[in-house]
Amino acid sequence: YDPVFAALKLTSPISVRSEGPAPSEHSWAVNAVIQYVFPGTPFTEGKTVNVTWYDGDQRPPAEIQALAGGRRLPGQGSIMIGTKGIMILPHIGMPILLPQEQYKDFAMPAIETVDHYHEFVDTVLGKTTTSTTFDYSGPLTEAVLLGPLATRFPKTTLAWNAKKLRFDNSKEATAFVRRKYREGWKVKGLS
């Protein structure tokens, strides 16, 4: 989720909807399909942008897979559909820009690799900051966690209000956003 979130400069979603099965009594929903709607950004076209998460055995529908031009989509990764083509981003691997003929001479920008462990130690020592500060990782985590929550309410569009940390159209879903802590376990600012 991180590459899509970072590349498009996404913020908190406007809504989230689960099209897959509900979770069981003991585990989250497997084979989930979560549809997010985010506010548009300078890197997207339109007032909103749709992002769909496929989990487990779920895969994008045939019309999306066909955009890969006969290539098999990776088992893990992202496919970004743009106005001038698509990008397939395997979980581990170089991005593939399609249509290939259109991007055959495109030079991928050089990206400095970062060892996350060294980056963390350097931050603790005050030498640098991490590449994913809390102002980035907080909204990313919020968006990701809304997906499993949405699986508890299959086929229901949940309107997310990030400023108030609640679903404007579902008190039942909002009840899962925060928990009431037992006496002695309250955390100041979270309780």
Side-chain angles (χ1 to χ4, degrees):
Y1 219 87
D2 178 47
V4 173
F5 206 85
L8 299 177
K9 304 285 187 225
L10 298 176
T11 59
S12 295
I14 298 167
S15 69
V16 61
R17 178 182 175 94
S18 172
E19 293 296 336
S24 73
E25 177 184 355
H26 305 289
S27 181
W28 63 71
V30 294
N31 295 323
V33 177
I34 311 294
Q35 297 174 340
Y36 295 86
V37 178
F38 290 91
T41 74
F43 302 101
T44 63
E45 186 172 275
K47 292 182 179 184
T48 61
V49 60
N50 298 328
V51 176
T52 304
W53 173 273
Y54 299 94
D55 194 46
D57 293 331
Q58 295 296 324
R59 295 290 176 262
E63 61 268 17
I64 299 295
Q65 292 188 42
L67 297 173
R71 289 179 186 267
R72 183 184 157 110
L73 293 180
Q76 294 182 31
S78 302
I79 180 169
M80 295 186 219
I81 303 167
T83 57
K84 297 180 181 177
I86 69 165
M87 179 171 68
I88 300 171
L89 183 60
H91 176 61
I92 298 176
M94 290 295 294
I96 301 162
L97 300 175
L98 299 172
Q100 195 167 8
E101 184 60 32
Q102 180 177 329
Y103 294 104
K104 67 180 180 188
D105 296 325
F106 180 79
M108 291 283 186
I111 297 175
E112 182 181 335
T113 60
V114 177
D115 180 308
H116 295 295
Y117 301 105
H118 290 169
E119 181 185 56
F120 176 76
V121 170
D122 286 345
T123 300
V124 170
L125 295 173
K127 296 179 181 179
T128 184
T129 60
T130 62
S131 59
T132 54
T133 57
F134 287 117
D135 62 335
Y136 169 78
S137 60
L140 168 66
T141 302
E142 175 186 313
V144 169
L145 292 176
L146 291 175
L149 193 153
T151 66
R152 293 175 175 271
F153 304 92
K155 313 250 185 286
T156 303
T157 300
L158 300 170
W160 180 241
N161 184 328
K163 289 184 181 185
K164 295 184 178 179
L165 291 176
R166 71 175 190 211
F167 293 100
D168 286 337
N169 64 337
S170 176
K171 288 181 182 179
E172 295 83 7
T174 298
F176 288 97
V177 174
R178 291 182 183 224
R179 69 172 51 184
K180 187 173 184 174
Y181 291 94
R182 295 187 323 245
E183 198 57 45
W185 294 95
K186 292 183 179 178
V187 178
K188 187 176 181 178
L190 294 179
S191 302

